[in-house]
Amino acid sequence: MNVLFIGPYRQTGEWGRKSRALLNALQKTPHNVTSRPLYMQNTLFLNHSEESEFALFDSYDAVVQFSLPALTVYDNQCGKNIGVFNNEMMNLPPDSLSRISMFDEIWVDSEDIRESIQCKLQDVKVRVIGAYLDPWLWKLSQGDDLSILRANTAVSDRFIFYTLGDITQKSGLREAVTAYYSTFNHTDHVILAIIVESPVEEAAMEQLITSCKDSVGAVRDSNSMPNVTVYNPPTPSPMKVLKSLHVEADCFIMPSYSVNTSTLSLEAACFGNTPILNKGTASYGALGEENCWGIESYDEISTLDDRPFRDMFTSQEICRKPIIKSLSSLMREAYVNKFSRDKKKKNNLDLKRHLESDENYSSLGDILCS
Amino acid sequence: MFVMKNIINSVLRSGGDEKLNIVTLCEHDEKYISLLCQTGHNFYIPTGETSSRWVNETCPVPPNLHILGEKSDTPPSFDFIVCHDRLENYDQAISLAALMHLPIILVDHCVAPKKAPVGVSFSIGDPERLSRSPDITVSLSSEISNGWKKNGLDLVVPIGIDTERFSPAESRSSNNIFNEKLSPKRVVFDNAVTQSVAATIFSSLSQSEHSVLPTDSDISQKEEIYREGDYFVNSWATVTVKLLEAMACGNVPICFRTPDTESFIDHGNDGYLIESPLDLASLVAHLDENPSISKEVGQRARQKIIDNHSIDSFLSKWSHVLSYMRSQFYSVK
């Protein structure tokens, strides 16, 4: 088959990572792939071209569009129109239903997401695809100077929790920092490293961290609070910081409200930094309890203030919110329970082998043909 | 407004040789669209929820024009959308363009009015008020182009007329349409306007002394009407294709004075401008009494079309516009 893939694979950020991961997975199938980048927002872009951009065919049997529904288009020149909307919430925004209904197939990350969507779509097949890794992870880890973290004397010899965050509600950063402050004090050899991918005003980040500190209450004074370090772009670059943390850190936290698969969680697991993430999400489903720690969480309607588009993350959709108490106890367990930590780390190596295996990619090829 | 390019089309139509599939909205634009069809590309008119429609009496449907919705054929993938009116249906163009990720070509047929029409609350000359700017603007004259504030690329493409096809008759023929026994002078007018305007014009002329014939009629033969007409009354406020066709046939053009017609007609030289239908009768009477003057004016009107409205130039410029748009949006990069 000739497959045309359109996605934001030149972008940084999670959309870029997942798009590159899916494109890489398609390229590993026996099918011919042409790719074209999509530029969704003003963000950092990677200056690279995919080999598949230079492959061109007279006709295409399938077009895969990895994008938001409003940014896709149905085309009857291609045999099958497949939409991958990277659904971060359960259910579908009502405004996008008419556009999504035009597609022949939609690919999602988990059975839960599939069920929540299929009931609204009569003639569209909703299918679950596997989890795939961003190939850039492996490219950058060879020969790069990844000692960004250990060069900081405040960090060396400490147990490093790390998380990707921004000041939006959906990222779950507030919950992560609050849980961290309520769990640890300055005598614990821990540090929380926050990587920010899209630049955030320093004052806004400071305010978030301070408010989390205040919300913990006067159980201890500020001098006894554990350390938090924030890596805000452009220097050093988020990609380098991320790779450095994957190599040097100990535990990845992802209490994000999104229900889809997080490539960063997969990456962290592959580096042996067993992630802590919300139960009930596709990430948790892909990893399993043996490969991660599951935060008790609950479904809630999406009432986010910060929407990239007017019809996204509305109250018609369901997000997954962490229970801070559960996150707190899991952070403590990850820190103190070396036995459990090592056991999961060993399981993570098996997971890595599976994610890199031909078997993982061949299933995608079969899905395309069927 | 976040505007998406049609990436699928940029892959599938990167060959550069295929005919383009162009969606065009149509409200009284049949003649102009039939000229565009001569570029050889395929044109499609969406009906249904848009206000577009094609009036067969105005112009027969060219072979490469397709009315969407009339047949059950699957429509092709489209390349561009052409809108002919930034006031009336530009919002529809934006909606269609957003749905199909198409670039927009806006054709300005008239100068910017000095005050907003009834029901339009904002400054219509301000392009910032358009929620999405067109990707290219084509104006029918430099006066029109200068009148509108614009962002982005714009150029002037005057309407083109085939002056061999639309030419004066060599000799007057006896023609049943004009009921020769009753009247020596033939007045043609564009009846594709509101009934009240048509009725006003019709009633302004003496029926005993003139044969008055509308351009759009089941029994009309288009070129013959112009060829054997003496005067053409332009019932629109703008310069239309029918006006130019009539001028090419040597008809004396008579237009209501508006910002558009004022900049086009040289009053008394290659046509006449009147303030209201009340002036029509006296002007026609003056021309009836001075056939040499009306003949000279008609000849100058035709020469104006020959000099400034070449059909070859029109088609060449439009082909360049479409090629440029194809290279910008659908070429391999």
Side-chain angles (χ1 to χ4, degrees):
Chain A
M1 282 175 74
N2 296 336
V3 179
L4 173 61
F5 178 84
I6 299 169
Y9 55 81
R10 286 193 189 170
Q11 280 180 205
T12 57
E14 183 62 14
W15 277 79
R17 278 190 288 273
K18 283 192 81 170
S19 178
R20 277 191 299 280
L22 183 57
L23 173 58
N24 180 59
L26 284 170
Q27 289 168 327
K28 288 187 183 302
T29 65
H31 306 297
N32 303 316
V33 180
T34 299
S35 67
R36 285 289 180 275
L38 180 68
Y39 301 97
M40 289 173 65
Q41 60 188 71
N42 290 328
T43 183
L44 299 174
F45 295 115
L46 302 170
N47 187 21
H48 88 283
S49 294
E50 290 281 338
E51 197 178 315
S52 49
E53 288 175 23
F54 298 97
L56 208 58
F57 304 98
D58 290 336
S59 63
Y60 290 87
D61 305 293
V63 58
V64 179
Q65 297 181 68
F66 189 110
S67 180
L68 293 168
L71 306 183
T72 58
V73 63
Y74 180 86
D75 198 303
N76 56 18
Q77 295 176 91
C78 305
K80 199 196 290 191
N81 281 259
I82 300 167
V84 186
F85 305 122
N86 194 24
N87 304 73
E88 294 190 59
M89 307 276 151
M90 298 286 195
N91 298 343
L92 285 172
D95 284 357
S96 59
L97 260 179
S98 57
R99 196 180 276 270
I100 294 173
S101 299
M102 293 191 298
F103 281 79
D104 301 301
E105 271 186 32
I106 294 179
W107 291 351
V108 298
D109 290 342
S110 74
E111 184 61 30
D112 287 338
I113 299 173
R114 192 198 72 79
E115 279 180 12
S116 76
I117 290 172
Q118 184 72 85
C119 58
K120 291 190 163 52
L121 298 171
Q122 305 295 332
D123 300 317
V124 182
K125 198 168 184 180
V126 185
R127 311 180 75 150
V128 180
I129 57 172
Y132 307 105
L133 291 170
D134 177 4
W136 272 67
L137 166 74
W138 315 115
K139 285 178 190 173
L140 283 185
S141 61
Q142 295 168 7
D144 275 340
D145 178 14
L146 299 173
S147 59
I148 292 173
L149 217 58
R150 296 294 175 191
N152 183 348
T153 52
V155 174
S156 57
D157 297 332
R158 287 183 179 268
F159 186 93
I160 304 172
F161 289 101
Y162 67 117
T163 186
L164 187 75
D166 55 52
I167 55 174
T168 61
Q169 288 174 271
K170 181 170 66 70
S171 71
L173 179 62
R174 182 174 292 276
E175 284 84 349
V177 177
T178 305
Y180 174 73
Y181 277 137
S182 75
T183 308
F184 302 105
N185 61 44
H186 72 289
T187 61
D188 294 307
H189 282 275
V190 295
I191 189 161
L192 174 64
I194 300 173
I195 313 146
V196 181
E197 279 195 299
S198 298
V200 170
E201 275 187 26
E202 212 170 305
M205 183 60 77
E206 277 292 329
Q207 189 187 9
L208 184 147
I209 293 173
T210 305
S211 72
C212 292
K213 229 184 250 187
D214 294 341
S215 70
V216 167
V219 291
R220 55 181 71 90
D221 61 47
S222 59
N223 288 335
S224 62
M225 288 288 192
N227 287 335
V228 172
T229 187
V230 180
Y231 293 94
N232 208 347
T235 306
S237 82
M239 292 284 277
K240 276 193 176 170
V241 173
L242 207 49
K243 298 301 180 263
S244 176
L245 283 168
H246 277 326
V247 170
E248 299 180 299
D250 300 289
C251 180
F252 181 67
I253 311 173
M254 180 59 103
S256 156
Y257 297 7
S258 300
V259 300
N260 55 355
T261 305
S262 155
T263 52
L264 279 186
S265 301
L266 298 180
E267 288 175 12
C270 290
F271 275 98
N273 305 324
T274 306
I276 302 176
L277 36 82
N278 291 339
K279 282 183 178 175
T281 61
S283 291
Y284 182 80
L287 289 166
E289 186 64 36
E290 64 277 13
N291 286 299
C292 67
W293 278 288
I295 309 169
E296 297 300 329
S297 54
Y298 60 100
D299 287 340
E300 184 59 273
I301 59 170
S302 168
T303 54
L304 304 173
D305 296 329
D306 32 44
R307 297 190 169 86
F309 288 92
R310 188 185 59 89
D311 62 343
M312 278 183 75
F313 307 147
T314 68
S315 61
Q316 301 296 312
E317 298 163 80
I318 307 292
C319 63
R320 194 82 185 165
K321 286 191 173 177
I323 296 175
I324 298 178
K325 182 167 176 277
S326 173
L327 172 57
S328 176
S329 65
L330 288 172
M331 288 177 79
R332 174 60 68 176
E333 184 182 343
Y335 174 57
V336 299
N337 192 338
K338 189 173 185 305
F339 174 77
S340 180
R341 209 164 62 229
D342 287 347
K343 186 176 175 196
K344 288 183 188 288
K345 192 169 180 173
K346 188 166 172 294
N347 293 337
N348 293 160
L349 289 175
D350 294 333
L351 173 71
K352 180 184 167 188
R353 273 191 284 273
H354 166 71
L355 288 174
E356 289 178 309
S357 70
D358 291 339
E359 184 193 338
N360 189 32
Y361 295 116
S362 66
S363 61
L364 184 63
D366 296 337
I367 288 174
L368 269 171
C369 289
S370 62
Chain B
M1 178 183 246
F2 190 84
V3 174
M4 279 293 301
K5 286 189 177 182
N6 193 316
I7 299 176
I8 299 177
N9 261 2
S10 72
V11 173
L12 296 176
R13 299 180 75 68
S14 56
D17 297 330
E18 315 97 344
K19 290 183 183 173
L20 296 167
N21 297 321
I22 302 168
V23 178
T24 178
L25 301 177
C26 176
E27 268 190 87
H28 307 297
D29 304 299
E30 292 86 357
K31 281 286 207 178
Y32 191 85
I33 294 171
S34 68
L35 287 175
L36 290 180
C37 286
Q38 294 183 42
T39 58
H41 296 292
N42 298 316
F43 288 82
Y44 297 82
I45 294 181
T47 55
E49 290 184 12
T50 69
S51 56
S52 289
R53 61 195 184 101
W54 184 272
V55 177
N56 283 321
E57 288 77 14
T58 300
C59 185
V61 178
N64 54 337
L65 176 76
H66 311 273
I67 314 293
L68 293 171
E70 283 188 349
K71 294 179 184 173
S72 60
D73 295 341
T74 305
S77 288
F78 301 114
D79 299 297
F80 308 116
I81 183 163
V82 177
C83 176
H84 296 273
D85 191 325
R86 65 169 67 212
L87 297 178
E88 296 288 335
N89 53 28
Y90 190 71
D91 283 345
Q92 291 176 25
I94 289 177
S95 299
L96 288 171
L99 186 66
M100 295 185 281
H101 295 182
L102 297 180
I104 300 178
I105 302 172
L106 174 63
V107 184
D108 274 326
H109 288 253
C110 59
V111 298
K114 289 186 173 55
K115 59 179 181 179
V118 173
V120 180
S121 59
F122 53 82
S123 166
I124 49 181
D126 184 353
E128 290 175 359
R129 291 293 185 173
L130 295 175
S131 58
R132 174 183 164 178
S133 294
D135 295 279
I136 192 168
T137 305
V138 173
S139 303
L140 302 195
S141 71
S142 52
E143 287 82 11
I144 294 172
S145 176
N146 295 335
W148 294 100
K149 292 183 212 171
K150 291 186 281 291
N151 290 327
L153 194 63
D154 77 286
L155 68 157
V156 175
V157 181
I159 295 174
I161 301 296
D162 182 352
T163 50
E164 288 185 12
R165 180 182 162 202
F166 292 96
S167 58
E170 287 180 2
S171 61
R172 178 162 286 212
S173 64
S174 171
N175 190 324
N176 287 336
I177 296 173
F178 285 98
N179 203 345
E180 191 68 35
K181 289 180 184 175
L182 286 182
S183 160
K185 287 297 181 187
R186 298 162 181 179
V187 182
V188 182
F189 81 103
D190 184 352
N191 66 310
V193 291
T194 60
Q195 283 188 347
S196 60
V197 172
T200 304
I201 293 172
F202 202 87
S203 61
S204 302
L205 299 164
S206 163
Q207 303 305 313
S208 61
E209 293 174 19
H210 301 95
S211 281
V212 182
L213 202 72
T215 56
D216 296 2
S217 166
D218 285 338
I219 62 169
S220 63
Q221 295 150 33
K222 306 294 182 206
E223 288 93 71
E224 281 73 18
I225 285 190
Y226 298 132
R227 231 177 249 136
E228 300 201 22
D230 296 297
Y231 317 129
F232 180 87
V233 180
N234 180 26
S235 33
W236 292 89
T238 57
V239 174
T240 65
V241 176
K242 288 175 191 170
L243 172 63
L244 302 189
E245 287 174 344
M247 289 170 70
C249 290
N251 291 196
V252 175
I254 302 173
C255 302
F256 294 100
R257 186 185 295 275
T258 66
D260 282 288
T261 57
E262 253 180 341
S263 59
F264 180 71
I265 295 289
D266 183 1
H267 179 74
N269 184 44
D270 53 40
Y272 293 93
L273 299 170
I274 56 176
E275 305 299 329
S276 77
L278 295 174
D279 301 328
L280 184 59
S282 56
L283 172 62
V284 168
H286 167 73
L287 292 172
D288 286 347
E289 289 163 10
N290 295 276
S292 59
I293 292 177
S294 64
K295 186 178 175 184
E296 283 172 13
V297 170
Q299 285 172 345
R300 284 195 284 269
R302 173 172 168 79
Q303 193 59 46
K304 182 174 199 157
I305 303 302
I306 292 172
D307 293 342
N308 302 320
H309 294 272
S310 154
I311 184 66
D312 292 333
S313 173
F314 172 85
L315 294 174
S316 170
K317 287 184 179 178
W318 261 106
S319 295
H320 282 132
V321 167
L322 296 173
S323 294
Y324 169 78
M325 293 288 284
R326 188 206 294 260
S327 70
Q328 290 298 301
F329 290 94
Y330 301 126
S331 64
V332 176
K333 288 181 184 161

